[in-house]
Amino acid sequence: MHLKYKMIVPLVLVLSAIMLYPLAFSGWLSFQDYRLTRIDEVHPVGLENYRFVATDPAFLNAMRNTLTFVFGAVTLELILGLSLALLVQRLRIMRGFVRSILLAPMFITPIAVGLMFRFLLSSEIGVVSHYLGLLGLSVDWFGPQMALLTIILIDVWQWTPFMLLMFLAGLEALPKAPFEAARVDGAGPWLTFSRITLPMLMPVIVVALIIRALDAFKVFEYVFATTRGGPGDQTVTIMYFIYQTGFRFFRMGEAAAAAVMLIAVILVLVVALVKFSKIDRSKG
């Protein structure tokens, strides 16, 4: 065996132990009637956990909320991140300072961000609600109509900087020759962006979308810190559903089945996104 492969064998073994064992154990759990209140009475139930979870209205509602959250948050982050990247790229002064300010939210822990917005948007003591009230506006940020949108906006505030960082790096790596040729030919800003910048930036966009979508599916801290799934079940996401099922209701087998189903949904969406990007680039 070559030396470079020998050097990475320990790392591969450690990562395999850290990642594969929990995954395998979760898969095993999903076929068991495993309840923390009856840990000595574990027995296999086949696909019963999957059947129960797949037809559970609470799980279907959590999956719908999660898909809505992922689509809304990632779409807004894509638009805002790309717009800010184009703006920062054109700056001639204070570029480093502006970049550092825009990237700051990304380095705060999500649970702290959730708690911060919980107090900022509180209808009773929130600063934002207070000043909106002075303008004659009343917004119930965590009410039935706004709660999920508020969670989306919190995620957009924190993770748009990630999109900005990815797109800014991609823009700075693009070759200059096509843009110079477009300028000589008299192409305007929109034509240059749509015909040159966007197609060449597409691989970066796809990678950024996949990374953010994978992370957005795991949303838990914002919900836990602000609404605890309420009002009613309006903001119960799939991760919060798994948490409730496994650690509040102690039904670990059903929680593991829900987690495995979530992995399957994510894999399908990622494969579809990658295939779509390949088709789009082949057409271009």
Side-chain angles (χ1 to χ4, degrees):
M1 183 183 294
H2 198 278
L3 178 61
K4 64 180 180 181
Y5 296 115
K6 292 181 180 179
M7 296 290 288
I8 66 172
V9 165
L11 178 61
V12 171
L13 293 177
V14 171
L15 288 177
S16 298
I18 294 174
M19 298 176 63
L20 294 181
Y21 173 74
L23 186 62
F25 185 67
S26 297
W28 176 80
L29 270 182
S30 67
F31 296 104
Q32 310 296 317
D33 181 12
Y34 193 109
R35 300 172 184 259
L36 292 179
T37 53
R38 296 187 282 109
I39 200 167
D40 296 328
E41 302 177 16
V42 178
H43 60 274
V45 293
L47 297 174
E48 180 61 25
N49 287 332
Y50 289 95
R51 185 199 65 78
F52 178 82
V53 170
T55 56
D56 184 7
F59 173 80
L60 298 177
N61 173 72
M63 185 61 74
R64 181 171 58 252
N65 289 341
T66 302
L67 291 173
T68 303
F69 171 83
V70 171
F71 179 79
V74 175
T75 300
L76 287 175
E77 288 160 12
L78 169 64
I79 296 171
L80 291 175
L82 185 55
S83 301
L84 288 172
L86 292 169
L87 178 63
V88 172
Q89 188 191 32
R90 292 176 178 272
L91 289 179
R92 294 291 181 265
I93 59 173
M94 301 182 66
R95 185 173 176 178
F97 175 76
V98 172
R99 184 185 302 183
S100 62
I101 293 297
L102 291 174
L103 294 180
M106 190 172 61
F107 302 107
I108 307 174
T109 57
I111 190 69
V113 171
L115 289 172
M116 178 180 71
F117 276 96
R118 177 183 177 182
F119 290 107
L120 284 174
L121 301 177
S122 170
S123 59
E124 298 176 355
I125 61 173
V127 174
V128 175
S129 297
H130 171 72
Y131 284 107
L132 286 177
L134 294 179
L135 297 174
L137 300 175
S138 178
V139 180
D140 187 1
W141 295 99
F142 299 113
Q145 304 300 323
M146 286 289 296
L148 187 58
L149 177 59
T150 300
I151 301 295
I152 291 173
L153 295 177
I154 293 173
D155 189 81
V156 170
W157 180 86
Q158 180 166 30
W159 292 111
T160 294
F162 172 80
M163 291 291 204
L164 164 65
L165 192 64
M166 292 284 289
F167 296 149
L168 193 57
L171 288 170
E172 292 177 347
L174 295 180
K176 306 299 181 185
F179 297 97
E180 294 174 356
R183 192 179 304 112
V184 171
D185 291 339
W190 172 249
L191 190 61
T192 302
F193 172 76
S194 60
R195 296 296 180 90
I196 299 177
T197 305
L198 196 58
M200 289 198 297
L201 198 62
M202 190 56 66
V204 178
I205 292 176
V206 171
V207 171
L209 284 176
I210 291 174
I211 294 175
R212 273 305 302 137
L214 289 175
D215 190 59
F217 267 104
K218 300 185 298 179
V219 61
F220 172 81
E221 294 92 340
Y222 305 142
V223 177
F224 185 82
T226 56
T227 63
R228 300 295 175 94
D233 57 0
Q234 296 294 312
T235 58
V236 175
T237 61
I238 190 64
M239 290 300 294
Y240 197 79
F241 172 84
I242 293 170
Y243 158 75
Q244 284 184 313
T245 304
F247 297 103
R248 291 185 62 187
F249 306 140
F250 308 120
R251 304 199 302 264
M252 298 300 292
E254 295 168 16
V260 172
M261 293 173 70
L262 174 62
I263 293 173
V265 171
I266 292 174
L267 286 176
V268 169
L269 291 177
V270 169
V271 171
L273 183 59
V274 172
K275 286 187 176 295
F276 172 79
S277 68
K278 289 181 178 178
I279 292 173
D280 188 65
R281 276 182 285 173
S282 64
K283 289 181 179 179

